[in-house]
């Protein structure tokens, strides 16, 4: 008996040991192959974005969220600790207007040779009026089409961008733009807010033979769609309560989607870059009673007060106007055009002064290097650097309706962080770490991809390279 | 010569909107202005030699020969010059952003010019330099029923919202003949030609749209009636942006300006309008108007025509330069319009041609571009002549405006100087300098960028990152707590 008991006892111990070791094994396996979920960045300067910067503090990240931030906060025992000495922690940057992760539209069929526009047949269905819903697919959602293998996602993330508004393209109502974080294992991990904003384009889609073929036609069309959608939102409940009394309502996906959007006061993005367009957009936003945000906004320096009076936020396109590369060298340019190119970067300062809420977006810039360069131009033109940071973080989050979850370093916010070795807008600053949803990316510079045989300069080996003059990071 | 001067103006006068206003502080609305020593062409009560016009609060306060200069008034000495009412262009396509035609459909009444006014169109300034102060901005003529139109004042430098002529009834463009039936356009392969393709079809299109509008109005009237009777749970009719302006036409709340050429189609539209109980406000172009002037006069419609512009298509062959005078003789209210940004700069001369062709008096000729278009647009209580109480919309010429040597010196709207030839000339050197400075600045920046690009010739260091694996030896291992790691 006793032996048997002992045997059973031993067996039990063995089983328990096995289980414990198994647990241990799985734990260590996760640790070895998966990602840690607790971090503490210590001894760092922390620009929280929701109060004064902390000169020497700690940020604790737990399971994708910020758990604690402050001068002396408890570090959980399971946390990875990153020594932040000499580093600065910022909220992750937001690019408030991109097409990251969205496949490019198929290029339109080229127009047949001959007399150009007038001879070209419109591609697709030929709309005969608003009822044909030209260029309209508001039910498309960027999040559903988001491709995680877009190489630019990594480029943006490595520069400190943790979040982007990604906008579908093509048509007057191309579809819903989504707020996405720039890391994840699968598509679903990236999406922060699938239905975030409804971008509209005023560009006619008609091509002479199809509606609409003019700016006024596009505006009239959008007005009719809003009328119809409001009508549907009003008519639907009445019909549903009285199904035997009325003819059934015709099925129209556009009315259903936009009717819901208007009812819920979702954000509608109106494109407007020059002052005429901006003032027009403000007027239309009033008329249509929509929760409007302007995107473009580069002539804002002329009409900042008018924008402020309407309390309409602006997404400012950082792709400042430039002389076209293929411009006619003899071509006469108007003073107005020259003034615009000169003054556009002063728009953010003007908006800031007038109290307009604004955010930055890359607007087709080729990469983060140009984004920072152009943000620096705005700072050089009078924008306070902390206001510039807000335009990439808290103000951006607020405009996009995600400020409850991101935009600053505060407990409960998504752990989107960028850790740098200097002031974020400084030309020489390098990004050291990026956290996206608590996922840690350590950034280091790759040595120049240069093979010995590739060396094309005439410099003898060992001579100091000319191109090093000026130091690292020139012209970021 | 005048043309050359104007072109020079075009080239140099890049006076941007929003900066012009600042220069106008001397002519603010509430300041009194006295124009003195001028020959005043009042249009309604003859010409006044060595006369003065007093302007207060943007209105004409007094006109006469013995006006005193009020304290603090700005004085414009117009010695040897002529003051006439600001020219009104009854057919213009300036200041339109993003296309003049919504040409894809035969009824485009949902399109509205007021949505797309472009206050920065240089043509506004150019037309001011021709003495024009107000214009009827029309949709194109691609459709039997075109877009909604708007009368503007050429307030250069003001935002779009301040261009429309306050209180002027809105209009709508109709069009007959070759343009709406698309005679001169053929669709690309695979695209059906647009209906209508005949003049009969144009009539049918207009009639059908008006019938639709009548039914639409009835639907709403029925709905509102039921609702007022306390009927609950009603589904309202849909709003229709295409039909609402046509309901306004039927109710007489919106003017119809119809593009037309041939006599037969003009008579057709008069019949259609009668049938539906409204009046055509103006026939535009109306090149065969002289053939049916009595019928047009009886219908109450005005005629807005060209002085001597024809033959550019089949339906424009039967025109004569006597048209304006002949229609005037038969009692039609006639105006001469531009339909063209360049032509609008010398409407005074276009009017003068009707003295040669048809023998109109000087005053009647000037009426063609002042009081008559004002009547046609329903704004004659405000503009069109120099009378006390009317808006101080004035053009000051160096010669009799009916002379080919006449050049505009100043153009005023609401008592404010919006164009001043001398001011324009004086401003050119500074503007030219600013332009050259900006170009030089840009050039310098481009060169610096190029130089910078050279020093950056090295392969760029690309930041890379991998999703961080747990380091085998954390840099500060001492601080790392937690079992199993």
């Amino acid at each position: 008996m006793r032996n048997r008991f002992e045997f059973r006892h031993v067996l039990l111990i063995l089983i328990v040991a096995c289980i414990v070791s198994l647990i241990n094994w799985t734990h260590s396996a996760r640790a070895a192959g998966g990602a840690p979920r607790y971090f503490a960045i210590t001894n760092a300067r922390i620009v929280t974005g929701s109060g004064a910067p902390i000169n020497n503090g700690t940020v604790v990240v737990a399971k994708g969220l910020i758990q604690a931030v402050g001068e002396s906060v408890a570090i959980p025992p399971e946390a990875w600790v990153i020594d932040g000495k000499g580093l600065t922690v910022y909220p992750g940057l937001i690019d408030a207007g991109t097409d990251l992760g969205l496949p490019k539209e198929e290029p339109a069929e080229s127009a047949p040779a001959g007399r150009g526009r007038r001879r070209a047949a419109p591609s697709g269905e030929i709309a005969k009026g608003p009822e044909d819903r030209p260029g309209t697919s508001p039910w498309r959602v960027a999040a559903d089409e988001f491709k995680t293998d877009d190489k630019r996602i990594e480029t943006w993330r490595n520069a400190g961008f943790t979040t982007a508004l990604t906008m579908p393209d093509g048509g007057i109502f191309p579809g819903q733009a989504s707020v996405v974080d720039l890391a994840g294992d699968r598509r679903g991990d990236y999406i922060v807010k699938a239905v975030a904003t409804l971008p509209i384009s005023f560009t006619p889609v008609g091509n002479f033979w199809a509606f609409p073929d003019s700016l006024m036609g596009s505006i009239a069309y959008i007005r009719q769609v809003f009328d119809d959608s409001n009508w549907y939102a009003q008519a639907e409940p009445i019909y549903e309560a009285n199904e035997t009394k009325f003819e059934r309502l015709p099925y129209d996906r556009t009315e259903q989607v936009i009717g819901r959007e208007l009812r819920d006061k979702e954000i509608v993005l109106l494109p407007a870059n020059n002052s005429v367009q901006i003032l027009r957009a403000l007027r239309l936003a009033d008329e249509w009673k929509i929760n409007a945000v302007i995107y473009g906004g580069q002539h804002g320096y002329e009409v900042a007060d008018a924008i402020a009076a309407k309390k309409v936020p602006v997404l400012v396109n950082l792709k400042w106007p430039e002389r076209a590369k293929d411009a006619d060298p003899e071509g006469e340019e108007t003073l107005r055009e020259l003034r615009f190119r000169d003054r556009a970067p002063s728009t953010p300062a003007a908006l800031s002064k007038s109290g307009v809420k604004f955010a930055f977006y890359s607007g087709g810039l080729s990469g983060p290097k140009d984004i920072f360069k152009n943000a620096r131009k705005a700072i050089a033109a009078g924008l306070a650097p902390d206001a510039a940071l807000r335009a990439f973080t808290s103000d951006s989050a607020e405009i996009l309706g995600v400020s409850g979850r991101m935009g600053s370093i505060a407990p409960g916010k998504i752990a989107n962080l960028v850790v740098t070795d200097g002031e974020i807008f400084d030309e020489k600053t390098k990004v050291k770490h990026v956290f996206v949803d608590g996922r840690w990316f350590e950034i280091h510079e790759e040595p120049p991809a240069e093979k010995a045989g590739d060396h094309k300069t005439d410099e003898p080996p060992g001579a100091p390279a000319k191109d090093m003059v000026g130091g690292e990071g020139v012209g970021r | 010569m005048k043309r050359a001067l104007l072109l020079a103006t075009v080239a140099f006068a890049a006076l941007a909107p929003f900066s012009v206003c600042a220069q106008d502080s001397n002519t603010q609305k509430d300041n009194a202005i006295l124009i003195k020593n001028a020959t005043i062409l009042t249009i309604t009560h003859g010409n006044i030699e060595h006369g003065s016009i007093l302007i207060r609060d943007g209105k004409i306060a007094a006109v006469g020969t013995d006006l005193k200069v009020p304290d603090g008034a700005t004085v414009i000495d117009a010695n040897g010059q002529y003051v006439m009412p600001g020219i009104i262009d009854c057919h213009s396509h300036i200041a339109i952003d993003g296309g003049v035609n919504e040409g894809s459909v035969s009824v485009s009444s949902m399109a509205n010019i007021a949505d797309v006014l472009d206050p920065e169109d240089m043509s506004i300034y150019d037309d001011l330099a021709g003495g024009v102060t107000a214009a009827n901005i029309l949709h194109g003529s691609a459709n039997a029923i075109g877009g909604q139109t708007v009368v503007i004042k050429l307030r250069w430098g003001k935002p779009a919202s301040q261009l429309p002529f306050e209180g002027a009834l809105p209009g709508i463009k109709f069009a007959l003949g070759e343009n709406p039936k698309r005679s001169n356009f053929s669709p690309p392969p695979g695209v059906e030609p647009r209906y209508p393709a005949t003049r009969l079809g144009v009539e049918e299109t207009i009639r059908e749209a008006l019938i639709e509008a009548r039914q639409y109005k009835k639907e709403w009237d029925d709905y509102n009636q039921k609702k007022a009777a306390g009927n609950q749970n009603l589904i309202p009719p849909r709003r229709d942006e295409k039909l609402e302006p046509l309901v306004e036409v039927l109710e007489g709340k919106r003017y119809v300006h119809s593009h037309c050429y041939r006599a037969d189609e003009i008579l057709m539209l008069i019949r259609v309008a009668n049938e539906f109980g409204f009046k055509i406000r103006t026939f535009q172009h109306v090149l065969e108007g002289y053939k049916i002037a009595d019928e047009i006069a009886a219908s109450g419609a005005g005629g807005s025509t060209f002085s001597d512009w024809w033959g550019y298509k089949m339906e424009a062959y039967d025109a004569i330069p006597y048209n304006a005078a002949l229609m005037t003789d038969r009692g039609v209210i006639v105006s001469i319009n531009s339909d063209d940004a360049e032509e609008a700069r010398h409407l005074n001369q276009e009017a003068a041609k009707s003295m040669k062709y048809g023998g109109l008096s000087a005053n009647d000729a000037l009426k063609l571009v002042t009081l008559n278009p004002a009547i046609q647009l329903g704004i004659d209580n405000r503009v069109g002549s120099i009378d006390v109480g009317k808006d101080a919309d004035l053009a000051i010429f160096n010669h009799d405006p009916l002379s080919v040597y006449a050049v505009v010196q100043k153009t005023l709207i609401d008592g404010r100087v919006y164009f001043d030839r001398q001011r324009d000339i004086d401003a050119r050197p500074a503007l030219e300098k600013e332009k050259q400075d900006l170009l030089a600045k840009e050039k310098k920046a481009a060169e610096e960028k190029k130089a910078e690009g050279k020093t950056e010739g090295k392969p760029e260091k690309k930041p890379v990152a991998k999703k961080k694996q747990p380091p085998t030896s954390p840099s500060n291992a001492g601080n790392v707590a937690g079992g199993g790691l």
Side-chain angles (χ1 to χ4, degrees):
Chain A
M1 278 294 274
R2 191 173 189 88
N3 279 351
R4 206 174 149 196
F5 172 73
E6 278 176 3
F7 176 74
R8 281 172 65 186
H9 193 80
V10 168
L11 198 65
L12 191 68
I13 288 168
L14 272 172
I15 291 169
V16 170
C18 267
I19 291 170
V20 168
S21 69
L22 197 67
I23 290 169
N24 260 335
W25 181 78
T26 45
H27 195 141
S28 54
R30 262 185 75 177
R37 309 215 63 199
Y38 297 84
F39 299 92
I41 307 165
T42 58
N43 302 321
R45 181 167 173 265
I46 302 162
V47 179
T48 62
S50 60
I54 299 163
N55 279 328
N56 190 351
T58 299
V59 184
V60 176
V61 171
K63 291 201 267 186
L65 300 181
I66 292 161
Q67 191 179 64
V69 56
E71 275 178 3
S72 53
V73 297
I75 299 171
E78 60 270 57
W80 276 95
V81 175
I82 296 166
D83 184 4
K85 196 166 166 46
L87 302 181
T88 307
V89 187
Y90 293 96
L93 305 182
I94 301 169
D95 183 343
T98 70
D99 60 350
L100 289 182
L102 294 181
K104 279 268 166 285
E105 289 281 302
E106 291 293 307
E109 278 172 51
S110 56
R115 290 167 58 188
R117 183 166 177 264
R118 269 148 209 262
R119 290 285 159 174
S123 54
E125 212 171 303
I126 294 171
K128 299 286 190 196
E131 61 282 2
D132 290 339
R133 302 284 184 247
T136 300
S137 51
W139 54 84
R140 274 176 66 199
V141 178
D144 296 331
E145 298 173 17
F146 189 77
K147 297 262 190 292
T148 60
D149 59 1
D150 186 335
K151 294 276 182 284
R152 295 174 301 166
I153 293 171
E154 194 187 338
T155 314
W156 256 249
R157 187 179 62 217
N158 288 349
F161 285 92
T162 60
T163 309
L165 180 74
T166 188
M167 299 160 72
D169 193 15
I172 294 172
F173 291 97
Q176 307 284 345
S178 306
V179 177
V180 295
D181 270 357
L182 298 179
D185 293 328
R186 46 181 55 84
R187 181 195 285 167
D189 298 338
Y190 287 73
I191 312 306
V192 178
K193 195 177 183 192
V195 176
T197 69
L198 180 75
I200 290 182
S201 160
F202 291 123
T203 307
V205 294
N207 201 0
F208 197 72
W209 297 98
F211 178 86
D213 178 47
S214 62
L215 174 62
M216 60 180 149
S218 289
I219 293 173
Y221 172 61
I222 295 165
R223 182 178 283 125
Q224 184 68 59
V225 167
F226 284 156
D227 285 346
D228 290 345
S229 303
N230 281 323
W231 174 85
Y232 187 85
Q234 190 187 352
E236 191 192 21
I238 302 173
Y239 171 71
E240 282 179 354
N242 305 275
E243 283 180 350
T244 55
K245 217 177 131 196
F246 298 106
E247 275 187 295
R248 72 180 180 283
L249 308 180
Y251 170 74
D252 186 331
R253 209 171 168 188
T254 299
E255 290 173 3
Q256 291 183 359
V257 172
I258 295 180
R260 190 195 62 224
E261 295 255 306
L262 294 175
R263 191 195 59 212
D264 297 348
K265 288 273 168 204
E266 277 175 28
I267 302 158
V268 178
L269 292 182
L270 296 179
N273 207 39
N274 66 39
S275 32
V276 173
Q277 294 165 338
I278 292 170
L279 295 177
R280 180 189 299 141
L282 292 174
R283 188 180 65 73
L284 292 174
D286 258 2
E287 182 200 318
W288 293 337
K289 299 184 178 67
I290 51 177
N291 182 11
V293 171
I294 283 172
Y295 71 102
Q298 293 184 324
H299 242 153
Y301 61 93
E302 276 184 348
V303 289
D305 288 342
I307 304 172
K310 294 289 180 189
K311 295 189 168 48
V312 169
V314 180
L315 306 181
V316 178
N317 186 350
L318 277 175
K319 192 173 185 195
W320 302 127
E322 286 181 343
R323 187 184 166 88
K325 285 209 166 58
D326 55 354
D328 178 357
E330 320 242 302
E332 186 82 7
E333 283 184 291
T334 64
L335 179 55
R336 181 139 181 78
E337 189 60 33
L338 291 169
R339 280 177 180 165
F340 177 44
R341 290 213 295 266
D342 186 51
R343 296 177 195 174
S346 71
T347 282
L351 294 178
S352 184
K353 199 174 157 211
S354 299
V356 176
K357 185 130 316 201
F358 67 96
F360 285 138
Y361 74 100
S362 56
L365 284 171
S366 58
K369 188 174 149 176
D370 286 341
I371 300 176
F372 284 111
K373 190 170 90 183
N374 284 4
R376 276 196 293 276
K377 283 185 186 169
I379 292 169
L383 180 67
D386 62 328
L389 180 65
R390 283 199 303 275
F392 278 118
T393 56
S394 51
D395 287 351
S396 192
E398 199 173 310
I399 293 170
L400 299 177
V402 290
S403 59
R405 291 188 284 166
M406 60 171 70
S408 62
I409 304 178
K413 293 278 171 85
I414 291 173
N416 286 347
L417 304 168
V418 49
V419 185
T420 64
D421 63 0
E423 289 291 331
I424 194 147
F425 294 117
D426 194 315
E427 226 174 298
K428 290 176 180 158
T429 294
K430 289 189 176 52
V431 173
K432 294 304 206 184
H433 306 271
V434 176
F435 286 85
V436 181
D437 277 311
R439 291 175 168 85
W440 176 27
F441 300 87
E442 190 175 36
I443 317 294
H444 54 90
E445 291 217 328
E446 217 176 34
E450 190 179 26
K451 289 173 210 151
D454 279 355
H455 212 273
K456 282 181 186 139
T457 66
D458 296 325
E459 301 292 338
K466 270 186 197 157
D467 53 25
M468 293 306 286
V469 176
E472 297 275 305
V474 168
R476 181 174 102 181
Chain B
M1 191 181 106
K2 187 184 164 204
R3 182 76 55 86
L5 266 174
L6 281 170
L7 288 175
T9 308
V10 176
F12 287 97
L15 289 167
F18 306 101
S19 64
V20 175
C21 311
Q23 304 179 5
D24 284 344
S25 50
N26 62 327
T27 50
Q28 270 173 5
K29 240 187 158 184
D30 44 341
N31 279 2
I33 300 173
L34 188 80
I35 303 170
K36 64 174 193 181
N37 293 332
T39 301
I40 300 169
L41 313 175
T42 67
I43 304 299
T44 45
H45 54 281
N47 300 349
I48 303 170
E49 303 286 338
H50 304 292
S52 302
I53 302 171
L54 178 65
I55 300 166
R56 279 188 196 279
D57 300 332
K59 303 270 184 193
I60 296 168
V63 182
T65 48
D66 52 356
L67 301 184
K68 297 270 181 303
V69 182
D71 286 346
T74 307
V75 176
I76 297 172
D77 190 350
N79 192 16
Q81 301 184 339
Y82 288 70
V83 185
M84 68 174 281
I87 291 172
I88 299 166
D89 187 353
C90 198
H91 190 129
S92 173
H93 301 296
I94 64 167
I96 298 176
D97 197 4
V100 169
N101 273 297
E102 177 50 56
S104 59
V105 288
S106 289
V107 179
S108 65
S109 39
M110 71 292 271
N112 190 349
I113 294 291
D115 280 336
V116 291
L117 284 176
D118 176 7
E120 297 181 6
D121 182 357
M122 276 307 291
S123 293
I124 297 175
Y125 189 75
D126 298 341
D127 286 7
L128 274 174
V132 181
T133 54
N136 188 24
I137 308 300
L138 297 172
H139 185 276
S141 54
N143 344 64
I145 295 181
Q148 300 164 52
T149 67
V150 62
V151 182
I152 64 167
K153 285 201 182 191
L154 306 193
R155 295 176 180 124
W156 176 246
K158 300 284 187 180
S161 60
Q162 290 181 38
L163 294 186
F165 196 116
E166 305 78 9
L169 219 55
I172 190 165
K173 178 84 170 275
F174 280 22
L176 312 176
E178 291 180 19
N179 291 9
K181 71 194 182 76
R182 310 267 82 180
S183 302
N184 306 307
F185 303 90
S186 50
V191 177
E192 260 182 64
R194 201 190 73 187
Y195 178 85
T198 64
R199 284 171 207 270
L200 295 172
V202 171
E203 176 180 357
E204 195 273 343
T205 301
I206 293 171
R207 182 174 272 116
E208 185 181 301
L210 292 171
I211 290 170
E212 254 187 272
R214 205 153 60 181
Q215 284 167 345
Y216 175 74
K217 183 179 166 1
K218 187 172 179 304
E219 260 181 66
W220 272 102
D221 288 348
D222 289 351
Y223 167 78
N224 288 329
Q225 210 179 352
K226 280 185 196 164
K227 207 177 165 197
N231 236 322
Q232 300 294 319
N233 285 332
L234 292 173
I235 293 180
R238 281 169 188 265
R239 283 196 63 181
D240 192 320
E241 298 291 343
K242 181 178 83 175
L243 297 177
E244 288 194 357
L246 298 181
V247 171
E248 289 173 350
V249 167
L250 294 174
E251 290 174 339
K253 293 174 186 163
R254 182 178 286 277
Y255 289 151
V256 175
H257 302 288
S258 182
H259 159 114
C260 61
Y261 288 90
R262 273 176 26 183
D264 54 351
E265 65 190 5
I266 295 166
L267 294 174
M268 173 278 283
L269 193 59
I270 291 174
R271 285 193 301 271
V272 171
N274 279 341
E275 181 186 328
F276 286 88
F278 66 95
K279 285 188 181 352
I280 303 298
R281 188 68 184 185
T282 66
F283 285 103
Q284 298 283 329
H285 311 326
V286 60
L287 295 191
E288 292 187 16
Y290 64 94
K291 296 183 183 175
I292 47 164
D294 289 344
E295 287 81 356
I296 294 174
S299 80
S304 188
T305 188
F306 299 136
S307 55
D308 55 356
W309 190 8
W310 66 77
Y312 40 88
K313 54 180 164 178
M314 270 314 287
E315 64 187 2
Y317 269 54
D318 235 8
I320 52 173
Y322 297 87
N323 193 31
L326 289 176
M327 286 197 292
T328 301
D329 286 348
R330 308 303 294 190
V332 180
I333 302 289
V334 178
S335 63
I336 297 276
N337 66 52
S338 77
D339 194 15
D340 179 87
E342 191 281 326
E343 181 114 333
R345 298 175 206 163
H346 45 85
L347 278 170
N348 51 318
Q349 289 176 21
E350 298 307 303
K353 288 173 185 171
S354 292
M355 296 170 72
K356 176 172 173 61
Y357 299 105
L360 287 191
S361 70
N363 199 58
D364 280 350
L366 281 178
K367 267 188 189 173
L368 296 174
V369 293
T370 54
L371 188 57
N372 286 2
I375 294 169
Q376 291 176 338
L377 297 172
I379 51 176
D380 52 306
N381 59 333
R382 291 270 305 274
V383 291
S385 63
I386 299 180
D387 282 300
V388 173
K390 284 200 175 182
D391 296 2
D393 293 8
L394 304 166
I396 306 178
F397 284 79
N398 60 347
H399 289 287
D400 185 329
L402 294 165
S403 150
V404 288
Y405 298 109
V407 174
V408 172
Q409 303 303 304
K410 286 185 176 63
T411 307
L412 288 78
I413 298 174
D414 306 324
R416 179 181 211 157
V417 179
Y418 278 86
F419 172 77
D420 182 325
R421 180 164 298 274
Q422 196 53 50
R423 191 172 74 193
D424 185 285
I425 292 166
D426 292 347
R428 287 175 200 179
L431 291 168
E432 184 56 27
K433 182 175 183 305
E434 185 187 352
K435 190 170 176 178
Q436 292 311 324
D437 288 351
L438 284 171
L439 283 168
K441 188 176 169 188
E442 225 174 45
K443 203 174 163 195
K444 199 176 153 211
E447 276 163 5
E448 278 170 7
K449 201 175 164 188
K450 217 172 163 185
E452 199 178 88
K454 272 182 190 156
T455 63
E456 266 190 0
K458 67 184 175 186
E460 197 188 326
K461 281 186 181 176
K462 268 193 191 161
V464 292
K466 281 185 193 132
K467 184 133 150 241
K468 191 64 190 168
Q469 303 294 324
T472 45
S473 54
S475 54
N476 47 356
N479 286 342
V480 175
L485 286 172

